[in-house]
Amino acid sequence: MEDRRRCKPPLYKDKITEVRSYSENRPLGHNRPFYKGLLVEKDKDKGQESLKNKGGRGIKSNPHQYQCPWVLLLSKHKEMDTWEIRTLVVEHSCLPLRSIYSCTSAFISKKIVDQIAENPNIPVKAVQEQVQRELQLRVSRMKAYRAKAKAKEQVHGDYISQYSRLRDYVHELKSRNPGTTVKIEVKEADPVEVTRRFKRIYVCLGALKRGFKAIGRDLLGLDGAFMKGPFPGQILSAVGIDPNNGIYPVCYAIVEAETLDSWTWFLECLGEDLDLAVNSNFTFVSDRQKGLLPAMAKVFPSAEHRFCLRHIHENFKLTFRGQLYKDILWKLATSTTDVKFKNRMNELKDLNPDAHQWLSNIPAQHWSRSHFTGRALSDVLLNNMCEVFNGKISEGRDKPIISALEFIREYLMRRIVTVLKHIERSEGILTPNISKLFEQIKMDAGNYLVSWNGGDEYQVSSQHDQVVVNLSEKWCACRRWEITGIPCRHAVAAIWDKTDHSEDVSELLSWVNPIYTIKRWKEVYSHRVKPINGPANWEKIEMPTTLTPPTHHTQVGRPKKARKRSAGEMENGTGRMSKKNMTITCSKCGNKGHNQRTCKGQGGASQGQPQAKQRKVGVKSHGGAAAGDANIGQSSQATGAASSQAGSQGAKQKLPKQNTCSNCGGKGHNKKTCKVHV
């Protein structure tokens, strides 16, 4: 069998008589610079010689028309390890090749490595077009993809090799950022072994730790996000709320999975950094992740644990769909008093006892403001702070471990600078977002009437509302002031009334909790994350063991990088709601569980369901044909009887299709079998 690899023609040694070099037959040359000389083949039968380009495609009848004078000859210097050009003829007489073997993905990756470092998300199509434009070569899409992957590997480092330098990175990070806490945990191994398999890492930058303590708000959101590289895991994060009601990340960790063990370890590390005792009355917000609830009960049993309302609604609407149930759920969650909460729960019970029972199974202190304490100084119902943080670091979740950790640190460092610029442009006493919120509260306060009892209490009423306000205790019966630390509209109306009575009242903004002031905002972001040196300048840490990547079993199929959407989210921008878990009704037979297209003639509707629509049968009559009229009548009666029987008894089998005769118009036969003579 002939050897056709690389499209080279077979070479028969018994036919080759000599090999002429370019120096002997220079004008001949040939069009491939990496093949030298010509093969002179002699046909034994005909006794003729024929020239053949070595590496060409078959024997040419007229080889001179395929010969190109271009030639490049190199030789290695005898005394030095260098190469020099001995012969170079730049003239061409052949068509340029658009595809050569030497243009490999490794060669292209060296050309685009600087561009990948500046823009790692450059499309593969752009790389392909750039190479074709600059080198004038044809490059396949897969070769461009491999070149981009190799260039990214050069920029970010290898996924496996970065684990061996993880301890060097930790030393550099801690030396450049004082007060930073980094903990690495490895899997148990034989003490004799020189390698340790990586398990998880926890990072809490010293600047973020000090900044969070300066906020004075005991509230943190907890969440996890998937890693997307060849060693999948989870990024756990704890995110707080700053004085401007923006996010303030505190710490993060890369763990093997969201389990009871990993969440317990993360919460214990968090408690040590923030000085939280076991009986601490801290407030956490979460999505009820797997393993988090028992870990929270174990590490912080006295903490207030709020559940994200959006995730509660995602589970709630699987059984109770519709905008009505959603509105009721939000009214229950935003109720600030126990009386309003109970009244609305009773309304839900009257509407649907099953929905009432479903919500009653979740304790109200986890999801309703009516049962929140005022320790956190926040009325948040959603875990949006963690969702925002996960969205910001999504591009770093598919990088190697050190590159992923650096992506997060660099984002946090840049974010502090961005907020400081925003602080410089802000004016007034309160932060911008709180100022807008308080302005709306003052507008609403103008609609209330106030009655003073001569002491510290005021009766504030409107057409639909009436509450008691105690200014000395900074308390209102609606509990909004207690929950958020911002005077509600009732309190603002009472403060204005106190001013009208010539009472000694300080400035209105002074009644707002100090955590919302620009002064506190500046103090929080005065703690900056410091930059670090590159890997070439890291100090080598001498350790008896070396870290290796975690074990991972590669799943079948292409790795998924996109977030899994919930059942109620709209996909592909169609704007259509999902019909999952909905029971459809057939418009043909009236039964449940299928539509008209998949209907198999199940018969009439079941009890309590609408009757199926009866098909009208049109009968065409012809005069002067007594026999034909009789047959038509019998056919119509038979059809009506069959339809009546199917409608009353709910036959399971589909009725056979009734043919219509084109001769007499009757049913049940065709023109061929018609017995009527028209």
Side-chain angles (χ1 to χ4, degrees), residues 287-308:
D287 303 338
R288 296 190 292 176
Q289 289 92 341
K290 183 180 180 181
L292 179 57
L293 296 182
M296 184 70 67
K298 177 182 178 181
V299 181
F300 301 114
S302 302
E304 179 183 348
H305 192 183
R306 301 181 186 178
F307 299 158
C308 180

Side-chain angles (χ1 to χ4, degrees), residues 122-374:
I122 181 174
V124 176
K125 183 68 175 177
V127 175
Q128 184 181 10
E129 293 176 353
Q130 178 183 345
V131 174
Q132 292 178 354
R133 181 176 60 255
E134 294 182 358
L135 303 180
Q136 298 181 359
L137 295 174
R138 184 184 300 109
V139 178
S140 66
R141 184 179 180 277
M142 286 306 301
K143 182 180 287 187
Y145 173 81
R146 292 192 297 269
K148 178 185 175 183
K150 292 178 181 179
K152 291 180 68 174
E153 182 177 324
Q154 296 178 30
V155 174
H156 301 299
D158 186 54
Y159 282 89
I160 299 177
S161 62
Q162 284 201 7
Y163 283 94
S164 61
R165 300 220 61 190
L166 187 58
R167 288 173 174 146
D168 302 338
Y169 167 75
V170 170
H171 178 74
E172 176 69 18
L173 181 64
K174 296 176 69 174
S175 62
R176 292 290 301 167
N177 291 269
T180 297
T181 302
V182 182
K183 296 182 179 181
I184 299 178
E185 188 171 316
V186 297
K187 293 186 177 180
E188 296 182 359
D190 190 351
V192 182
E193 295 183 2
V194 295
T195 60
R196 293 292 183 271
R197 196 164 295 279
F198 173 84
K199 188 176 182 180
R200 53 179 74 131
I201 182 172
Y202 167 87
V203 180
C204 182
L205 299 174
L208 301 180
K209 187 191 308 182
R210 294 186 294 269
F212 178 76
K213 292 180 179 179
I215 295 176
R217 175 182 273 173
D218 296 340
L219 174 70
L220 278 177
L222 304 174
D223 197 10
F226 285 98
M227 292 287 288
K228 305 176 184 178
F231 302 106
Q234 292 278 341
I235 296 184
L236 307 183
S237 58
V239 184
I241 302 178
D242 67 6
N244 195 38
N245 278 352
I247 68 170
Y248 193 86
V250 179
C251 60
Y252 48 93
I254 297 180
V255 299
E256 66 282 6
E258 286 190 271
T259 61
L260 172 61
D261 183 49
S262 62
W263 273 116
T264 302
W265 179 76
F266 181 76
L267 292 176
E268 289 175 351
C269 296
L270 177 64
E272 292 178 7
D273 281 330
L274 301 183
D275 302 326
L276 301 181
V278 178
N279 57 350
S280 176
N281 294 324
F282 211 81
T283 302
F284 295 96
V285 185
S286 73
D287 303 338
R288 296 190 292 176
Q289 289 92 341
K290 183 180 180 181
L292 179 57
L293 296 182
M296 184 70 67
K298 177 182 178 181
V299 181
F300 301 114
S302 302
E304 179 183 348
H305 192 183
R306 301 181 186 178
F307 299 158
C308 180
L309 189 64
R310 187 179 73 86
H311 289 78
I312 292 179
H313 177 250
E314 290 293 332
N315 297 327
F316 182 68
K317 71 180 182 181
L318 295 177
T319 308
F320 310 101
R321 302 176 66 92
Q323 187 66 31
L324 176 61
Y325 288 108
K326 181 179 180 180
D327 294 341
I328 293 175
L329 177 62
W330 274 96
K331 288 180 179 179
L332 288 167
T334 55
S335 301
T336 56
T337 61
D338 187 55
V339 175
K340 286 185 178 180
F341 177 80
K342 290 180 179 179
N343 292 337
R344 288 170 177 171
M345 283 293 286
N346 291 333
E347 293 176 1
L348 177 62
K349 186 176 182 180
D350 295 338
L351 176 66
N352 191 331
D354 294 335
H356 174 270
Q357 182 61 38
W358 193 95
L359 282 178
S360 300
N361 294 332
I362 306 176
Q365 63 265 24
H366 295 305
W367 58 278
S368 177
R369 290 174 182 168
S370 59
H371 293 70
F372 289 173
T373 63

Side-chain angles (χ1 to χ4, degrees), residues 8 11 51 241 258:
K8 294 181 181 178
L11 298 178
L51 297 177
I241 302 178
E258 286 190 271

